Amino acid sequence: MVVSPVHFIAVPLLAAFLMPILAKVNKNLLRIVPGIVLTYLGYVSVVLMNRVATEGTIIEVLAGWSAPWGINLVYTPFTGFLATLMIAMSFLIWLYSFKFKKVDDEPALKYFILQLMLTTGSVGLVLTGDIFNFFVFMEIIALSSYALTAFYRDRNGAEAAFKYLLIGAFASTLFLLAIVLLYSQVGTLNMAEISVRMHDVPTSMKVSILVLFLVGIGIEAEMFPLNGWAPDAYSQAPSPVGVAFAALVVKAGVYGLVRITYTLFGIEGSGIGPFLIIMGGITLVMAEITALKQTSLKRMLAYSSIGQMGFVLIAFGIGTHEAVFGAIFLMFNHAIIKGLLFMSGSYLVYNTPNKEIKYLSGYGMKMPVISLFFSLGALAIVGLPPFAGFWSKLYILLAAADGALYGLIALILVVSIIEIVYYFRVVGRLYFGKPAEGSIMRKPTVGGMIAMSILAIAILVVGFYPDIITGYIDAAASSILNTDEYIKNALGAVNELTPVENIIQ
Amino acid sequence: MRKLLVLFLLAVIAFSLYKPLSTIEFGADRMGSIENPTTVGAYYLSKTPSELSVANVITAIVVNYRGFDTLGEVSVLFLAATGLGSILYRRRKEGEHSISISKPSSQLLQAGSKLIYPAILVLGAYVFIHGHLTPGGGFQGGAIIATGILLMMMSYKDFHLNHTVLTWIESLAGITFATIGIAGLIVGKTFLENFMPIGTLNDLFSGGIIPIIYIAVGFKVAAELAGVLDTLLSIKEK
């Protein structure tokens, strides 16, 4: 069997269905199986990334019906890059949480199934070429996220999950309504074909559909003012789940936003670009100012995460090749750096009341390695050279300068100062605060240490040699910007519904 | 003031939804010609009887043309059951067993449900086995079976389900669906592609892999909904 993009969905689904039985055979299997699946998917990613680099976009037809009658998976350099990133991050999350709920197998089984399905949903959402299938994967992500948020079954977790559930269910409804309206206008669900037929849709209808889509997907992408669920969910969910939110769920949401605005509606001359810049700007400023006021470490990280997504939206709103390049680079950096910050931050606040920052005084001496990881992450995320975060910020600023958006540059720099203040406040407390008496340290697991070390090395390597990754990001940026290419590839040459000469205009 | 603002916003949303919706003509034929299909719907209607030999076109769309979506929907249900199980989980203490929290039922209900329970199960099985011929299918049949189980839970306080059996049914049905998909990938080159003889239209054994998938879905939905009901309706007591 030759590897193909559908393995990203079929194999983990099969494993998730098998896991309840395997757990009855041997209870260690439930911890090992996700690792095996993710390793295999890592291998598939490597093979497919090489193939897409040499042969171009891979289209996989499902159930023997080519698009638009059936569903297809579209593995472009952009979607492939995100899928690979998600698989790699899921593997590290699995390593980090290998001993999760060691004493109680039943919740551990549920946890590993939910986490595996979260990965499946995110990767599937990125790869699919069909808008309804997109919605199905959105539901898979949403349902596993709700359950994982409430996983500790305490009062705050239940509140956070309930909030997320209400907002998320409302968003799903609007998203589905948008699909219904769209289908009533174009008579197809394939995203490439929708894109072809979009210019026949009346403007008032287009605006309604776009607004419904933006609200529906903006929740997952943490766009202001739809991100009320995020701080609670990040801080109440088990720590590996916080990492998964930052590395998978938000990335999938931003991907969806970009695919819908860039491919379905077209970013040029439609006013969507300035709209994304404004929304991104508001998200960025609101989130960073709120982060400054937080006393709980996890909430601070959550607001910082929202702010970064605002930054990504701004870059996608500018819409030039350089800006999109910076945006994708930032998505990559955010996944690895925020992953490291959440992993190390969770160990720091493991035994402190309310996860508050003020109890972290002097932890730099008590937990030297973890504090070092956290400080590295903090330095990288504010964009200091020579760490990974520097490059993405630089590219976005250069793109803004090219577009003569000087106000935007000023805004980004001011916000960066705020970011430096609240991150360095924590780092300063770690190293220069007076150690408190009698606090109990949490010893990190071996898997957790390996995962954090890999992330720290990745941050340093990408910081010093960005060239190892820029080739992939450059291809990804070209791929998302070239809608005609996407349509041509996704619909293929054989298409009875839309003559080929209509596709390329 | 705040309520007024909310009302105003709701009115704006309602208007902006009404305006585009009102442009869609009610009852107009949007399908177009079935002989020369220009929409996806017309294409399905024209191709299904000859190429899949499935009498119920909806089933053909749900299980074959868009079978990948159905695999996703099955996983959503699986996730809902798993998530509920994880949130409501409590470790069973020594000597505890689960009993239904429903109120004691009357003799009438008990006698009646005994009579009707097998009939509901048979109806559910009929609906999902004939999913490719008549209206209904795996999801509907599974839900019918679960209502039968709900009836028994309401009538008999000590009626309870064996969770090990449910887990096995659930997992095996899910594995069947995914394995058929992967078998399609090996035999017929694409995931979930039909690789079995399609038979003649309107026969019980027709439609290739479609009935098999729908039977698996029926079992899975029934087991999952029953599991959810059991989790929600029972408490652990000594």
PDB file of all heavy atoms in Angstrom, chain A residues 68-88:
ATOM      1  N   PRO A  68     -16.377  17.316  -8.316  1.00  0.00           N
ATOM      2  CA  PRO A  68     -17.074  17.709  -7.090  1.00  0.00           C
ATOM      3  C   PRO A  68     -18.122  16.706  -6.593  1.00  0.00           C
ATOM      4  O   PRO A  68     -18.875  17.039  -5.695  1.00  0.00           O
ATOM      5  CB  PRO A  68     -17.763  19.004  -7.506  1.00  0.00           C
ATOM      6  CG  PRO A  68     -18.109  18.762  -8.937  1.00  0.00           C
ATOM      7  CD  PRO A  68     -17.015  17.896  -9.493  1.00  0.00           C
ATOM      8  N   TRP A  69     -18.178  15.476  -7.186  1.00  0.00           N
ATOM      9  CA  TRP A  69     -19.230  14.543  -6.742  1.00  0.00           C
ATOM     10  C   TRP A  69     -18.854  13.867  -5.447  1.00  0.00           C
ATOM     11  O   TRP A  69     -19.694  13.569  -4.633  1.00  0.00           O
ATOM     12  CB  TRP A  69     -19.487  13.521  -7.845  1.00  0.00           C
ATOM     13  CG  TRP A  69     -19.725  14.225  -9.131  1.00  0.00           C
ATOM     14  CD1 TRP A  69     -20.749  15.100  -9.373  1.00  0.00           C
ATOM     15  CD2 TRP A  69     -18.923  14.209 -10.300  1.00  0.00           C
ATOM     16  NE1 TRP A  69     -20.625  15.615 -10.633  1.00  0.00           N
ATOM     17  CE2 TRP A  69     -19.526  15.091 -11.224  1.00  0.00           C
ATOM     18  CE3 TRP A  69     -17.761  13.538 -10.660  1.00  0.00           C
ATOM     19  CZ2 TRP A  69     -18.987  15.308 -12.489  1.00  0.00           C
ATOM     20  CZ3 TRP A  69     -17.240  13.751 -11.915  1.00  0.00           C
ATOM     21  CH2 TRP A  69     -17.848  14.626 -12.813  1.00  0.00           C
ATOM     22  N   GLY A  70     -17.586  13.598  -5.305  1.00  0.00           N
ATOM     23  CA  GLY A  70     -17.143  13.003  -4.054  1.00  0.00           C
ATOM     24  C   GLY A  70     -16.314  14.010  -3.289  1.00  0.00           C
ATOM     25  O   GLY A  70     -16.260  15.190  -3.629  1.00  0.00           O
ATOM     26  N   ILE A  71     -15.644  13.526  -2.259  1.00  0.00           N
ATOM     27  CA  ILE A  71     -14.798  14.388  -1.434  1.00  0.00           C
ATOM     28  C   ILE A  71     -13.356  14.145  -1.852  1.00  0.00           C
ATOM     29  O   ILE A  71     -12.988  13.009  -2.152  1.00  0.00           O
ATOM     30  CB  ILE A  71     -15.008  14.034   0.053  1.00  0.00           C
ATOM     31  CG1 ILE A  71     -16.450  14.314   0.433  1.00  0.00           C
ATOM     32  CG2 ILE A  71     -14.049  14.791   0.939  1.00  0.00           C
ATOM     33  CD1 ILE A  71     -16.842  13.721   1.750  1.00  0.00           C
ATOM     34  N   ASN A  72     -12.558  15.188  -1.897  1.00  0.00           N
ATOM     35  CA  ASN A  72     -11.139  14.937  -2.162  1.00  0.00           C
ATOM     36  C   ASN A  72     -10.277  15.589  -1.086  1.00  0.00           C
ATOM     37  O   ASN A  72     -10.711  16.498  -0.383  1.00  0.00           O
ATOM     38  CB  ASN A  72     -10.730  15.413  -3.555  1.00  0.00           C
ATOM     39  CG  ASN A  72     -10.974  16.884  -3.760  1.00  0.00           C
ATOM     40  OD1 ASN A  72     -11.428  17.571  -2.856  1.00  0.00           O
ATOM     41  ND2 ASN A  72     -10.689  17.381  -4.932  1.00  0.00           N
ATOM     42  N   LEU A  73      -9.082  15.043  -0.943  1.00  0.00           N
ATOM     43  CA  LEU A  73      -8.102  15.633  -0.033  1.00  0.00           C
ATOM     44  C   LEU A  73      -7.071  16.348  -0.888  1.00  0.00           C
ATOM     45  O   LEU A  73      -6.642  15.827  -1.915  1.00  0.00           O
ATOM     46  CB  LEU A  73      -7.417  14.556   0.801  1.00  0.00           C
ATOM     47  CG  LEU A  73      -8.311  13.741   1.728  1.00  0.00           C
ATOM     48  CD1 LEU A  73      -7.479  12.720   2.481  1.00  0.00           C
ATOM     49  CD2 LEU A  73      -9.023  14.625   2.723  1.00  0.00           C
ATOM     50  N   VAL A  74      -6.697  17.556  -0.490  1.00  0.00           N
ATOM     51  CA  VAL A  74      -5.771  18.360  -1.280  1.00  0.00           C
ATOM     52  C   VAL A  74      -4.523  18.603  -0.454  1.00  0.00           C
ATOM     53  O   VAL A  74      -4.552  19.334   0.527  1.00  0.00           O
ATOM     54  CB  VAL A  74      -6.420  19.703  -1.674  1.00  0.00           C
ATOM     55  CG1 VAL A  74      -5.520  20.455  -2.634  1.00  0.00           C
ATOM     56  CG2 VAL A  74      -7.774  19.466  -2.301  1.00  0.00           C
ATOM     57  N   TYR A  75      -3.440  17.949  -0.866  1.00  0.00           N
ATOM     58  CA  TYR A  75      -2.187  18.065  -0.123  1.00  0.00           C
ATOM     59  C   TYR A  75      -1.270  19.023  -0.881  1.00  0.00           C
ATOM     60  O   TYR A  75      -0.516  18.621  -1.752  1.00  0.00           O
ATOM     61  CB  TYR A  75      -1.554  16.678   0.013  1.00  0.00           C
ATOM     62  CG  TYR A  75      -0.438  16.577   1.017  1.00  0.00           C
ATOM     63  CD1 TYR A  75      -0.672  16.133   2.312  1.00  0.00           C
ATOM     64  CD2 TYR A  75       0.864  16.908   0.665  1.00  0.00           C
ATOM     65  CE1 TYR A  75       0.346  16.028   3.221  1.00  0.00           C
ATOM     66  CE2 TYR A  75       1.895  16.809   1.581  1.00  0.00           C
ATOM     67  CZ  TYR A  75       1.619  16.368   2.862  1.00  0.00           C
ATOM     68  OH  TYR A  75       2.643  16.264   3.761  1.00  0.00           O
ATOM     69  N   THR A  76      -1.377  20.314  -0.574  1.00  0.00           N
ATOM     70  CA  THR A  76      -0.511  21.303  -1.216  1.00  0.00           C
ATOM     71  C   THR A  76       0.699  21.542  -0.307  1.00  0.00           C
ATOM     72  O   THR A  76       0.717  21.064   0.824  1.00  0.00           O
ATOM     73  CB  THR A  76      -1.257  22.640  -1.389  1.00  0.00           C
ATOM     74  OG1 THR A  76      -1.521  23.156  -0.085  1.00  0.00           O
ATOM     75  CG2 THR A  76      -2.560  22.470  -2.127  1.00  0.00           C
ATOM     76  N   PRO A  77       1.699  22.287  -0.776  1.00  0.00           N
ATOM     77  CA  PRO A  77       2.808  22.598   0.143  1.00  0.00           C
ATOM     78  C   PRO A  77       2.327  23.260   1.433  1.00  0.00           C
ATOM     79  O   PRO A  77       2.893  23.022   2.507  1.00  0.00           O
ATOM     80  CB  PRO A  77       3.678  23.544  -0.686  1.00  0.00           C
ATOM     81  CG  PRO A  77       3.417  23.164  -2.078  1.00  0.00           C
ATOM     82  CD  PRO A  77       1.983  22.727  -2.142  1.00  0.00           C
ATOM     83  N   PHE A  78       1.271  24.082   1.355  1.00  0.00           N
ATOM     84  CA  PHE A  78       0.771  24.773   2.544  1.00  0.00           C
ATOM     85  C   PHE A  78       0.075  23.797   3.498  1.00  0.00           C
ATOM     86  O   PHE A  78       0.417  23.722   4.681  1.00  0.00           O
ATOM     87  CB  PHE A  78      -0.191  25.884   2.109  1.00  0.00           C
ATOM     88  CG  PHE A  78      -0.775  26.685   3.247  1.00  0.00           C
ATOM     89  CD1 PHE A  78       0.035  27.209   4.232  1.00  0.00           C
ATOM     90  CD2 PHE A  78      -2.139  26.932   3.312  1.00  0.00           C
ATOM     91  CE1 PHE A  78      -0.504  27.950   5.276  1.00  0.00           C
ATOM     92  CE2 PHE A  78      -2.680  27.670   4.342  1.00  0.00           C
ATOM     93  CZ  PHE A  78      -1.860  28.181   5.324  1.00  0.00           C
ATOM     94  N   THR A  79      -0.891  23.036   2.976  1.00  0.00           N
ATOM     95  CA  THR A  79      -1.602  22.120   3.860  1.00  0.00           C
ATOM     96  C   THR A  79      -0.655  21.040   4.372  1.00  0.00           C
ATOM     97  O   THR A  79      -0.746  20.626   5.523  1.00  0.00           O
ATOM     98  CB  THR A  79      -2.794  21.471   3.135  1.00  0.00           C
ATOM     99  OG1 THR A  79      -2.321  20.763   2.009  1.00  0.00           O
ATOM    100  CG2 THR A  79      -3.801  22.483   2.696  1.00  0.00           C
ATOM    101  N   GLY A  80       0.269  20.600   3.509  1.00  0.00           N
ATOM    102  CA  GLY A  80       1.235  19.588   3.928  1.00  0.00           C
ATOM    103  C   GLY A  80       2.114  20.091   5.055  1.00  0.00           C
ATOM    104  O   GLY A  80       2.383  19.386   6.029  1.00  0.00           O
ATOM    105  N   PHE A  81       2.543  21.348   4.941  1.00  0.00           N
ATOM    106  CA  PHE A  81       3.403  21.925   5.975  1.00  0.00           C
ATOM    107  C   PHE A  81       2.674  21.949   7.320  1.00  0.00           C
ATOM    108  O   PHE A  81       3.213  21.528   8.351  1.00  0.00           O
ATOM    109  CB  PHE A  81       3.790  23.351   5.558  1.00  0.00           C
ATOM    110  CG  PHE A  81       4.654  24.071   6.553  1.00  0.00           C
ATOM    111  CD1 PHE A  81       5.992  23.757   6.682  1.00  0.00           C
ATOM    112  CD2 PHE A  81       4.122  25.056   7.374  1.00  0.00           C
ATOM    113  CE1 PHE A  81       6.789  24.413   7.597  1.00  0.00           C
ATOM    114  CE2 PHE A  81       4.912  25.711   8.301  1.00  0.00           C
ATOM    115  CZ  PHE A  81       6.249  25.383   8.404  1.00  0.00           C
ATOM    116  N   LEU A  82       1.404  22.407   7.285  1.00  0.00           N
ATOM    117  CA  LEU A  82       0.646  22.463   8.539  1.00  0.00           C
ATOM    118  C   LEU A  82       0.401  21.058   9.091  1.00  0.00           C
ATOM    119  O   LEU A  82       0.515  20.830  10.299  1.00  0.00           O
ATOM    120  CB  LEU A  82      -0.683  23.177   8.324  1.00  0.00           C
ATOM    121  CG  LEU A  82      -0.604  24.691   8.168  1.00  0.00           C
ATOM    122  CD1 LEU A  82      -1.979  25.274   8.000  1.00  0.00           C
ATOM    123  CD2 LEU A  82       0.061  25.309   9.392  1.00  0.00           C
ATOM    124  N   ALA A  83       0.060  20.099   8.215  1.00  0.00           N
ATOM    125  CA  ALA A  83      -0.208  18.739   8.680  1.00  0.00           C
ATOM    126  C   ALA A  83       1.037  18.154   9.331  1.00  0.00           C
ATOM    127  O   ALA A  83       0.966  17.537  10.400  1.00  0.00           O
ATOM    128  CB  ALA A  83      -0.663  17.871   7.513  1.00  0.00           C
ATOM    129  N   THR A  84       2.197  18.371   8.704  1.00  0.00           N
ATOM    130  CA  THR A  84       3.445  17.859   9.265  1.00  0.00           C
ATOM    131  C   THR A  84       3.717  18.475  10.631  1.00  0.00           C
ATOM    132  O   THR A  84       4.073  17.779  11.593  1.00  0.00           O
ATOM    133  CB  THR A  84       4.609  18.164   8.309  1.00  0.00           C
ATOM    134  OG1 THR A  84       4.236  17.729   7.009  1.00  0.00           O
ATOM    135  CG2 THR A  84       5.872  17.479   8.742  1.00  0.00           C
ATOM    136  N   LEU A  85       3.514  19.798  10.716  1.00  0.00           N
ATOM    137  CA  LEU A  85       3.724  20.488  11.991  1.00  0.00           C
ATOM    138  C   LEU A  85       2.811  19.912  13.074  1.00  0.00           C
ATOM    139  O   LEU A  85       3.234  19.647  14.208  1.00  0.00           O
ATOM    140  CB  LEU A  85       3.448  21.990  11.791  1.00  0.00           C
ATOM    141  CG  LEU A  85       3.500  22.873  13.030  1.00  0.00           C
ATOM    142  CD1 LEU A  85       4.905  22.913  13.582  1.00  0.00           C
ATOM    143  CD2 LEU A  85       3.037  24.285  12.705  1.00  0.00           C
ATOM    144  N   MET A  86       1.542  19.679  12.697  1.00  0.00           N
ATOM    145  CA  MET A  86       0.585  19.166  13.679  1.00  0.00           C
ATOM    146  C   MET A  86       0.950  17.763  14.133  1.00  0.00           C
ATOM    147  O   MET A  86       0.844  17.445  15.324  1.00  0.00           O
ATOM    148  CB  MET A  86      -0.822  19.150  13.066  1.00  0.00           C
ATOM    149  CG  MET A  86      -1.431  20.518  12.982  1.00  0.00           C
ATOM    150  SD  MET A  86      -2.878  20.473  11.943  1.00  0.00           S
ATOM    151  CE  MET A  86      -3.488  22.122  12.213  1.00  0.00           C
ATOM    152  N   ILE A  87       1.374  16.911  13.202  1.00  0.00           N
ATOM    153  CA  ILE A  87       1.750  15.547  13.575  1.00  0.00           C
ATOM    154  C   ILE A  87       2.960  15.588  14.514  1.00  0.00           C
ATOM    155  O   ILE A  87       3.000  14.906  15.545  1.00  0.00           O
ATOM    156  CB  ILE A  87       2.061  14.704  12.318  1.00  0.00           C
ATOM    157  CG1 ILE A  87       0.814  14.533  11.464  1.00  0.00           C
ATOM    158  CG2 ILE A  87       2.631  13.349  12.696  1.00  0.00           C
ATOM    159  CD1 ILE A  87      -0.266  13.707  12.085  1.00  0.00           C
ATOM    160  N   ALA A  88       3.950  16.438  14.172  1.00  0.00           N
ATOM    161  CA  ALA A  88       5.147  16.515  15.017  1.00  0.00           C
ATOM    162  C   ALA A  88       4.783  16.996  16.419  1.00  0.00           C
ATOM    163  O   ALA A  88       5.239  16.426  17.430  1.00  0.00           O
ATOM    164  CB  ALA A  88       6.165  17.452  14.370  1.00  0.00           C
TER     165      ALA A  88
END
